[in-house]
PDB file of all heavy atoms in Angstrom:
ATOM      1  N   GLU A1436      -1.523   2.326 -13.299  1.00 91.00           N
ATOM      2  CA  GLU A1436      -1.556   3.186 -14.452  1.00 91.00           C
ATOM      3  C   GLU A1436      -1.694   4.655 -14.024  1.00 91.00           C
ATOM      4  O   GLU A1436      -2.627   5.040 -13.314  1.00 91.00           O
ATOM      5  CB  GLU A1436      -2.761   2.834 -15.361  1.00 91.00           C
ATOM      6  CG  GLU A1436      -2.492   1.594 -16.190  1.00 91.00           C
ATOM      7  CD  GLU A1436      -1.287   1.714 -17.119  1.00 91.00           C
ATOM      8  OE1 GLU A1436      -1.177   2.769 -17.814  1.00 91.00           O
ATOM      9  OE2 GLU A1436      -0.444   0.783 -17.180  1.00 91.00           O
ATOM     10  N   GLY A1437      -0.717   5.465 -14.460  1.00 82.00           N
ATOM     11  CA  GLY A1437      -0.834   6.910 -14.273  1.00 82.00           C
ATOM     12  C   GLY A1437      -1.631   7.427 -15.463  1.00 82.00           C
ATOM     13  O   GLY A1437      -2.682   6.889 -15.792  1.00 82.00           O
ATOM     14  N   GLU A1438      -1.146   8.436 -16.100  1.00 81.00           N
ATOM     15  CA  GLU A1438      -1.818   8.987 -17.309  1.00 81.00           C
ATOM     16  C   GLU A1438      -1.059   8.466 -18.520  1.00 81.00           C
ATOM     17  O   GLU A1438      -0.180   9.119 -19.076  1.00 81.00           O
ATOM     18  CB  GLU A1438      -1.825  10.522 -17.262  1.00 81.00           C
ATOM     19  CG  GLU A1438      -2.687  11.122 -18.341  1.00 81.00           C
ATOM     20  CD  GLU A1438      -2.741  12.646 -18.237  1.00 81.00           C
ATOM     21  OE1 GLU A1438      -1.665  13.278 -18.350  1.00 81.00           O
ATOM     22  OE2 GLU A1438      -3.832  13.185 -17.962  1.00 81.00           O
ATOM     23  N   GLY A1439      -1.412   7.235 -18.935  1.00 82.00           N
ATOM     24  CA  GLY A1439      -0.775   6.655 -20.075  1.00 82.00           C
ATOM     25  C   GLY A1439       0.563   6.039 -19.828  1.00 82.00           C
ATOM     26  O   GLY A1439       1.237   5.559 -20.728  1.00 82.00           O
ATOM     27  N   GLU A1440       0.990   5.984 -18.582  1.00 88.00           N
ATOM     28  CA  GLU A1440       2.291   5.426 -18.187  1.00 88.00           C
ATOM     29  C   GLU A1440       2.112   4.567 -16.978  1.00 88.00           C
ATOM     30  O   GLU A1440       1.374   4.894 -16.039  1.00 88.00           O
ATOM     31  CB  GLU A1440       3.299   6.524 -17.853  1.00 88.00           C
ATOM     32  CG  GLU A1440       3.746   7.385 -19.027  1.00 88.00           C
ATOM     33  CD  GLU A1440       4.894   6.777 -19.769  1.00 88.00           C
ATOM     34  OE1 GLU A1440       5.347   5.645 -19.408  1.00 88.00           O
ATOM     35  OE2 GLU A1440       5.368   7.386 -20.731  1.00 88.00           O
ATOM     36  N   GLU A1441       2.781   3.408 -16.941  1.00 95.00           N
ATOM     37  CA  GLU A1441       2.821   2.594 -15.723  1.00 95.00           C
ATOM     38  C   GLU A1441       3.746   3.279 -14.698  1.00 95.00           C
ATOM     39  O   GLU A1441       4.817   3.754 -15.046  1.00 95.00           O
ATOM     40  CB  GLU A1441       3.349   1.205 -16.032  1.00 95.00           C
ATOM     41  CG  GLU A1441       3.327   0.290 -14.806  1.00 95.00           C
ATOM     42  CD  GLU A1441       3.878  -1.097 -15.116  1.00 95.00           C
ATOM     43  OE1 GLU A1441       5.095  -1.194 -15.310  1.00 95.00           O
ATOM     44  OE2 GLU A1441       3.088  -2.049 -15.137  1.00 95.00           O
ATOM     45  N   VAL A1442       3.282   3.318 -13.489  1.00 96.00           N
ATOM     46  CA  VAL A1442       4.031   3.971 -12.389  1.00 96.00           C
ATOM     47  C   VAL A1442       4.311   2.929 -11.322  1.00 96.00           C
ATOM     48  O   VAL A1442       3.446   2.090 -10.992  1.00 96.00           O
ATOM     49  CB  VAL A1442       3.271   5.148 -11.787  1.00 96.00           C
ATOM     50  CG1 VAL A1442       4.035   5.783 -10.620  1.00 96.00           C
ATOM     51  CG2 VAL A1442       3.012   6.202 -12.885  1.00 96.00           C
ATOM     52  N   GLN A1443       5.513   2.953 -10.787  1.00 97.00           N
ATOM     53  CA  GLN A1443       5.950   1.981  -9.731  1.00 97.00           C
ATOM     54  C   GLN A1443       5.849   2.656  -8.361  1.00 97.00           C
ATOM     55  O   GLN A1443       6.223   3.794  -8.185  1.00 97.00           O
ATOM     56  CB  GLN A1443       7.391   1.542  -9.986  1.00 97.00           C
ATOM     57  CG  GLN A1443       7.927   0.538  -8.984  1.00 97.00           C
ATOM     58  CD  GLN A1443       9.404   0.233  -9.194  1.00 97.00           C
ATOM     59  OE1 GLN A1443      10.173   1.100  -9.665  1.00 97.00           O
ATOM     60  NE2 GLN A1443       9.856  -0.948  -8.917  1.00 97.00           N
ATOM     61  N   GLY A1444       5.325   1.879  -7.419  1.00 97.00           N
ATOM     62  CA  GLY A1444       5.253   2.337  -6.057  1.00 97.00           C
ATOM     63  C   GLY A1444       5.408   1.206  -5.075  1.00 97.00           C
ATOM     64  O   GLY A1444       5.587   0.020  -5.454  1.00 97.00           O
ATOM     65  N   TRP A1445       5.217   1.513  -3.783  1.00 98.00           N
ATOM     66  CA  TRP A1445       5.330   0.510  -2.735  1.00 98.00           C
ATOM     67  C   TRP A1445       4.323   0.785  -1.638  1.00 98.00           C
ATOM     68  O   TRP A1445       3.965   1.972  -1.374  1.00 98.00           O
ATOM     69  CB  TRP A1445       6.743   0.461  -2.141  1.00 98.00           C
ATOM     70  CG  TRP A1445       7.751   0.016  -3.147  1.00 98.00           C
ATOM     71  CD1 TRP A1445       8.216  -1.277  -3.320  1.00 98.00           C
ATOM     72  CD2 TRP A1445       8.473   0.832  -4.057  1.00 98.00           C
ATOM     73  NE1 TRP A1445       9.117  -1.286  -4.335  1.00 98.00           N
ATOM     74  CE2 TRP A1445       9.339   0.001  -4.810  1.00 98.00           C
ATOM     75  CE3 TRP A1445       8.433   2.209  -4.339  1.00 98.00           C
ATOM     76  CZ2 TRP A1445      10.144   0.469  -5.821  1.00 98.00           C
ATOM     77  CZ3 TRP A1445       9.282   2.700  -5.378  1.00 98.00           C
ATOM     78  CH2 TRP A1445      10.115   1.852  -6.077  1.00 98.00           C
ATOM     79  N   VAL A1446       3.917  -0.234  -0.916  1.00 98.00           N
ATOM     80  CA  VAL A1446       3.007  -0.144   0.209  1.00 98.00           C
ATOM     81  C   VAL A1446       3.677  -0.856   1.386  1.00 98.00           C
ATOM     82  O   VAL A1446       4.112  -2.012   1.286  1.00 98.00           O
ATOM     83  CB  VAL A1446       1.652  -0.765  -0.082  1.00 98.00           C
ATOM     84  CG1 VAL A1446       0.756  -0.713   1.161  1.00 98.00           C
ATOM     85  CG2 VAL A1446       0.976  -0.096  -1.257  1.00 98.00           C
ATOM     86  N   LEU A1447       3.760  -0.134   2.535  1.00 98.00           N
ATOM     87  CA  LEU A1447       4.281  -0.713   3.749  1.00 98.00           C
ATOM     88  C   LEU A1447       3.179  -0.721   4.775  1.00 98.00           C
ATOM     89  O   LEU A1447       2.546   0.308   5.051  1.00 98.00           O
ATOM     90  CB  LEU A1447       5.465   0.132   4.244  1.00 98.00           C
ATOM     91  CG  LEU A1447       6.194  -0.303   5.499  1.00 98.00           C
ATOM     92  CD1 LEU A1447       6.933  -1.621   5.212  1.00 98.00           C
ATOM     93  CD2 LEU A1447       7.198   0.746   5.975  1.00 98.00           C
ATOM     94  N   THR A1448       2.935  -1.882   5.360  1.00 97.00           N
ATOM     95  CA  THR A1448       1.826  -1.993   6.327  1.00 97.00           C
ATOM     96  C   THR A1448       2.365  -2.097   7.740  1.00 97.00           C
ATOM     97  O   THR A1448       3.540  -2.438   7.961  1.00 97.00           O
ATOM     98  CB  THR A1448       0.973  -3.242   6.031  1.00 97.00           C
ATOM     99  OG1 THR A1448       1.855  -4.431   6.016  1.00 97.00           O
ATOM    100  CG2 THR A1448       0.273  -3.129   4.674  1.00 97.00           C
ATOM    101  N   PRO A1449       1.541  -1.794   8.732  1.00 97.00           N
ATOM    102  CA  PRO A1449       1.993  -1.912  10.153  1.00 97.00           C
ATOM    103  C   PRO A1449       2.490  -3.308  10.475  1.00 97.00           C
ATOM    104  O   PRO A1449       1.884  -4.294  10.005  1.00 97.00           O
ATOM    105  CB  PRO A1449       0.725  -1.531  10.942  1.00 97.00           C
ATOM    106  CG  PRO A1449      -0.039  -0.677  10.028  1.00 97.00           C
ATOM    107  CD  PRO A1449       0.198  -1.235   8.636  1.00 97.00           C
ATOM    108  N   PRO A1450       3.541  -3.438  11.247  1.00 95.00           N
ATOM    109  CA  PRO A1450       4.080  -4.790  11.556  1.00 95.00           C
ATOM    110  C   PRO A1450       3.089  -5.644  12.349  1.00 95.00           C
ATOM    111  O   PRO A1450       3.212  -6.880  12.276  1.00 95.00           O
ATOM    112  CB  PRO A1450       5.363  -4.475  12.360  1.00 95.00           C
ATOM    113  CG  PRO A1450       5.165  -3.062  12.882  1.00 95.00           C
ATOM    114  CD  PRO A1450       4.336  -2.383  11.859  1.00 95.00           C
ATOM    115  N   ASP A1451       2.180  -5.023  13.095  1.00 92.00           N
ATOM    116  CA  ASP A1451       1.248  -5.811  13.932  1.00 92.00           C
ATOM    117  C   ASP A1451      -0.154  -5.695  13.354  1.00 92.00           C
ATOM    118  O   ASP A1451      -1.124  -5.722  14.097  1.00 92.00           O
ATOM    119  CB  ASP A1451       1.288  -5.361  15.411  1.00 92.00           C
ATOM    120  CG  ASP A1451       1.093  -3.843  15.506  1.00 92.00           C
ATOM    121  OD1 ASP A1451       0.963  -3.183  14.470  1.00 92.00           O
ATOM    122  OD2 ASP A1451       1.094  -3.341  16.663  1.00 92.00           O
ATOM    123  N   MET A1452      -0.264  -5.560  12.046  1.00 92.00           N
ATOM    124  CA  MET A1452      -1.570  -5.407  11.402  1.00 92.00           C
ATOM    125  C   MET A1452      -2.423  -6.621  11.655  1.00 92.00           C
ATOM    126  O   MET A1452      -2.001  -7.764  11.566  1.00 92.00           O
ATOM    127  CB  MET A1452      -1.385  -5.180   9.899  1.00 92.00           C
ATOM    128  CG  MET A1452      -2.683  -4.802   9.187  1.00 92.00           C
ATOM    129  SD  MET A1452      -2.403  -4.305   7.472  1.00 92.00           S
ATOM    130  CE  MET A1452      -1.970  -5.884   6.725  1.00 92.00           C
ATOM    131  N   GLU A1453      -3.699  -6.383  12.029  1.00 92.00           N
ATOM    132  CA  GLU A1453      -4.625  -7.443  12.314  1.00 92.00           C
ATOM    133  C   GLU A1453      -5.642  -7.644  11.204  1.00 92.00           C
ATOM    134  O   GLU A1453      -6.100  -6.652  10.626  1.00 92.00           O
ATOM    135  CB  GLU A1453      -5.361  -7.146  13.663  1.00 92.00           C
ATOM    136  CG  GLU A1453      -4.450  -7.031  14.831  1.00 92.00           C
ATOM    137  CD  GLU A1453      -5.239  -6.748  16.111  1.00 92.00           C
ATOM    138  OE1 GLU A1453      -6.461  -6.781  16.070  1.00 92.00           O
ATOM    139  OE2 GLU A1453      -4.590  -6.470  17.162  1.00 92.00           O
ATOM    140  N   ALA A1454      -5.942  -8.862  10.925  1.00 91.00           N
ATOM    141  CA  ALA A1454      -6.957  -9.187   9.874  1.00 91.00           C
ATOM    142  C   ALA A1454      -8.297  -8.560  10.232  1.00 91.00           C
ATOM    143  O   ALA A1454      -8.734  -8.582  11.388  1.00 91.00           O
ATOM    144  CB  ALA A1454      -7.090 -10.697   9.707  1.00 91.00           C
ATOM    145  N   GLY A1455      -8.925  -7.973   9.226  1.00 90.00           N
ATOM    146  CA  GLY A1455     -10.256  -7.402   9.441  1.00 90.00           C
ATOM    147  C   GLY A1455     -10.246  -5.960   9.914  1.00 90.00           C
ATOM    148  O   GLY A1455     -11.297  -5.328   9.960  1.00 90.00           O
ATOM    149  N   GLU A1456      -9.089  -5.445  10.319  1.00 94.00           N
ATOM    150  CA  GLU A1456      -8.968  -4.071  10.760  1.00 94.00           C
ATOM    151  C   GLU A1456      -8.560  -3.154   9.605  1.00 94.00           C
ATOM    152  O   GLU A1456      -7.968  -3.617   8.631  1.00 94.00           O
ATOM    153  CB  GLU A1456      -7.956  -3.950  11.867  1.00 94.00           C
ATOM    154  CG  GLU A1456      -8.311  -4.696  13.135  1.00 94.00           C
ATOM    155  CD  GLU A1456      -9.533  -4.078  13.830  1.00 94.00           C
ATOM    156  OE1 GLU A1456      -9.692  -2.844  13.722  1.00 94.00           O
ATOM    157  OE2 GLU A1456     -10.286  -4.815  14.458  1.00 94.00           O
ATOM    158  N   SER A1457      -8.888  -1.889   9.692  1.00 96.00           N
ATOM    159  CA  SER A1457      -8.478  -0.924   8.685  1.00 96.00           C
ATOM    160  C   SER A1457      -7.536   0.099   9.355  1.00 96.00           C
ATOM    161  O   SER A1457      -7.640   0.360  10.571  1.00 96.00           O
ATOM    162  CB  SER A1457      -9.650  -0.227   8.041  1.00 96.00           C
ATOM    163  OG  SER A1457     -10.382   0.521   8.979  1.00 96.00           O
ATOM    164  N   TYR A1458      -6.705   0.745   8.524  1.00 97.00           N
ATOM    165  CA  TYR A1458      -5.675   1.617   9.061  1.00 97.00           C
ATOM    166  C   TYR A1458      -5.620   2.889   8.219  1.00 97.00           C
ATOM    167  O   TYR A1458      -5.868   2.880   7.017  1.00 97.00           O
ATOM    168  CB  TYR A1458      -4.319   0.907   9.048  1.00 97.00           C
ATOM    169  CG  TYR A1458      -4.282  -0.287   9.931  1.00 97.00           C
ATOM    170  CD1 TYR A1458      -4.741  -1.535   9.444  1.00 97.00           C
ATOM    171  CD2 TYR A1458      -3.822  -0.219  11.233  1.00 97.00           C
ATOM    172  CE1 TYR A1458      -4.750  -2.663  10.280  1.00 97.00           C
ATOM    173  CE2 TYR A1458      -3.824  -1.356  12.069  1.00 97.00           C
ATOM    174  CZ  TYR A1458      -4.296  -2.555  11.590  1.00 97.00           C
ATOM    175  OH  TYR A1458      -4.295  -3.671  12.413  1.00 97.00           O
ATOM    176  N   PRO A1459      -5.213   4.008   8.826  1.00 98.00           N
ATOM    177  CA  PRO A1459      -5.065   5.244   8.066  1.00 98.00           C
ATOM    178  C   PRO A1459      -3.873   5.155   7.110  1.00 98.00           C
ATOM    179  O   PRO A1459      -2.953   4.341   7.287  1.00 98.00           O
ATOM    180  CB  PRO A1459      -4.812   6.309   9.136  1.00 98.00           C
ATOM    181  CG  PRO A1459      -4.279   5.548  10.295  1.00 98.00           C
ATOM    182  CD  PRO A1459      -4.919   4.200  10.261  1.00 98.00           C
TER     183      PRO A1459
END
């Protein structure tokens, strides 16, 4: 939700992302 409007986006994660780790 933006300001009264639904907004579409995407999230791309690192290909070698490890469970339990956090990333910038």
